[in-house]
Amino acid sequence: MHILVLCHYYPPEVNAPASRTSEHAKIWVESGHEVTVITCAPNHPNGELYPGYRNRLYQTEIVDGVKVVRVWSWLAANEGFLPRIANYVSFAISSVLACPRVGKVDVVLSTSPQFFCGLAGAVAGSFKRAPWVLEIRDLWPESIVTVGAMKKGGAIRFLEWLEGWAYRKADRVVALTDGFVPHISEKRGRDDVLVIKNGVDLALFSGRGEGEATKAKFGLEGRVLAAYVGTHGMAHGLDTILDAAALLRDEPGIGFLLVGDGAERARLEARCKALSLNNVRIAGQLPKEQMPAIWAATDISLILLRKSDTFKTVLPSKMFEAMAMKCPIVLGVEGEAKALLEAADAGISIEPENAEELANAVMRLCQNPDWAEDFGRRGRAHVEENFNRTVLAGNFIFLFRSLRP
């Protein structure tokens, strides 16, 4: 079977959609299928090309047996409404124009957000006369209204109409969480949404090793390290970490590390400096090959989102990686994510955006290392049983086969 995937992000970019798509694609190839991924030249999150890449109309490479087609897009940092829309729309157009060069395919999978990438799958599926599967990783445009990036108005109503059209047009819709299903089913007009949750490559994330060298690199040697790894965006409420660090500034055995990039990073760096938080390091985005060392140094994984009903339907991908690494979690997300953490018994749940609760949770884990170790052990067992990436990728193959005539 030849699977065509449209995804805005792909390695060497290191965000959640890049990891999910590339890990699935690699498994599909290893299972004997042909996979073509159409994506951008890597530039997320700063809108700057990664070394060794050019923003050409069409270029190809083979990565882990996957044919990766990179097309031109308007490069833009992950901030500012109009530049990002230009980035999203230009990629959607370029990806559709690249389809004739791909050859015959058996199924088209497009992933959203970014929203226009998801919509491009409808055109690609029609052009290739192949079933179209739409994967929903986040409810868009609802989520951009929640974080304040756009206000309700004519533009949002138009995007909501497009959203409903896409749900109805797709041959099947795949959601990443159970919480997305009622919203999608209502707009789709039928109850056939398939949930394939996020997961983890258990071979890649296989438990923590020695992390003192990494701690020393950031001047945090000898400390219990509480780390946030991921996008520094409007949705994440990362000021909560800085506020918790301020509460714990007199605890010499505790340090905080933020790894990643996004629209909020510069402001967070400035605020950290203004508060004179010597127990916090903001590392920026690091190459994927450095992430095992970061996880080895992480004693407590901080996973946060802002307090909102919208985010009660979200399952942050870092939960699965943290559990696979036997790393206890402090989770500031309500709803489905909290239920997962409690089912796994893999950490402590706090109220979102509550710095005092975050500080107390970190302190409790520092004072009870055996308790923290038990959380990590149970988290690993839970993902092994329920969120093995290989099994989840196989669920997609069953779906794809069911759509073939």
Side-chain angles (χ1 to χ4, degrees):
M1 181 166 38
H2 186 185
I3 304 164
L4 173 62
V5 182
L6 277 61
C7 185
H8 201 94
Y9 308 108
Y10 204 77
E13 293 168 322
V14 295
N15 56 12
S19 296
R20 176 179 170 92
T21 302
S22 63
E23 289 174 15
H24 283 162
K26 179 182 176 182
I27 293 167
W28 296 335
V29 168
E30 291 171 349
S31 300
H33 303 285
E34 181 182 358
V35 181
T36 300
V37 174
I38 299 180
T39 189
C40 301
N43 68 94
H44 180 271
N46 295 320
E48 299 174 359
L49 288 172
Y50 285 35
Y53 288 91
R54 296 177 63 185
N55 192 23
R56 294 173 172 167
L57 290 175
Y58 187 94
Q59 53 194 315
T60 65
E61 59 180 323
I62 303 297
V63 181
D64 294 325
V66 178
K67 182 179 180 181
V68 179
V69 177
R70 299 191 184 273
V71 298
W72 180 87
S73 65
W74 180 273
L75 300 184
N78 192 31
E79 56 186 24
F81 176 69
L82 289 178
R84 283 189 293 172
I85 289 295
N87 174 244
Y88 303 159
V89 173
S90 62
F91 170 69
I93 295 171
S94 294
S95 63
V96 169
L97 293 176
C99 285
R101 303 181 67 170
V102 171
K104 185 181 184 304
V105 303
D106 297 291
V107 66
V108 175
L109 169 68
S110 63
T111 184
S112 174
Q114 304 307 333
F115 186 62
F116 296 99
C117 173
L119 291 175
V123 182
S126 179
F127 182 82
K128 305 303 286 186
R129 296 183 179 179
W132 170 41
V133 176
L134 175 61
E135 178 183 75
I136 301 298
R137 300 191 326 274
D138 198 3
L139 294 179
W140 204 94
E142 182 177 346
S143 60
I144 62 173
V145 174
T146 297
V147 301
M150 287 182 70
K151 295 181 179 180
K152 275 282 191 179
I156 288 294
R157 286 192 293 272
F158 174 69
L159 292 175
E160 288 173 340
W161 178 85
L162 277 178
E163 176 196 22
W165 176 86
Y167 293 155
R168 293 188 297 273
K169 174 71 173 176
D171 292 285
R172 285 297 295 272
V173 178
V174 172
L176 264 68
T177 77
D178 297 316
F180 291 172
V181 173
H183 176 89
I184 297 171
S185 295
E186 180 181 359
K187 288 181 174 287
R188 183 166 167 79
R190 53 189 187 272
D191 189 18
D192 63 348
V193 179
L194 177 64
V195 177
I196 301 179
K197 295 182 180 181
N198 237 319
V200 66
D201 183 338
L202 293 171
L204 181 63
F205 295 89
S206 55
R208 302 203 309 278
E210 175 57 48
E212 281 302 315
T214 301
K215 293 181 184 181
K217 177 181 175 181
F218 295 105
L220 297 170
E221 62 270 25
R223 303 194 190 199
V224 173
L225 187 61
Y228 171 86
V229 180
T231 302
H232 295 30
M234 297 171 67
H236 299 90
L238 299 184
D239 283 290
T240 308
I241 296 177
L242 302 189
D243 293 338
L247 293 171
L248 297 174
R249 66 167 78 238
D250 295 327
E251 295 291 337
I254 299 174
F256 293 85
L257 177 66
L258 283 75
V259 178
D261 211 336
E264 290 283 276
R265 178 187 160 195
R267 188 189 63 77
L268 291 165
E269 287 177 330
R271 185 163 184 256
C272 183
K273 184 176 180 180
L275 292 172
S276 300
L277 294 177
N278 295 324
N279 56 346
V280 178
R281 302 292 185 271
I282 300 179
Q285 181 166 294
L286 300 176
K288 191 170 185 176
E289 57 267 23
Q290 293 186 28
M291 295 315 298
I294 295 297
W295 279 113
T298 300
D299 300 298
I300 302 168
S301 176
L302 307 178
I303 300 175
L304 309 174
L305 285 171
R306 286 171 51 182
K307 189 176 181 66
S308 167
D309 286 344
T310 298
F311 297 141
K312 290 180 180 179
T313 63
V314 170
L315 279 178
S317 63
K318 296 303 177 188
M319 289 186 69
F320 305 102
E321 296 175 2
M323 287 191 286
M325 295 296 288
K326 299 182 180 179
C327 189
I329 294 170
V330 175
L331 178 73
V333 187
E334 297 177 316
E336 192 165 340
K338 180 179 178 180
L340 170 60
L341 185 76
E342 292 174 347
D345 196 10
I348 300 173
S349 177
I350 64 168
E351 180 187 23
E353 300 187 88
N354 189 322
E356 185 174 351
E357 286 194 13
L358 175 59
N360 288 339
V362 169
M363 183 62 109
R364 289 167 63 196
L365 289 170
C366 291
Q367 293 172 341
N368 298 277
D370 291 342
W371 190 41
E373 185 177 348
D374 287 342
F375 279 140
R377 175 179 48 78
R378 289 191 291 265
R380 173 72 187 192
H382 193 74
V383 292
E384 286 178 347
E385 183 176 354
N386 298 285
F387 299 105
N388 186 331
R389 184 77 84 185
T390 301
V391 174
L392 299 172
N395 292 342
F396 268 104
I397 295 299
F398 289 131
L399 170 61
F400 296 156
R401 284 177 173 156
S402 73
L403 296 174
R404 296 177 66 187

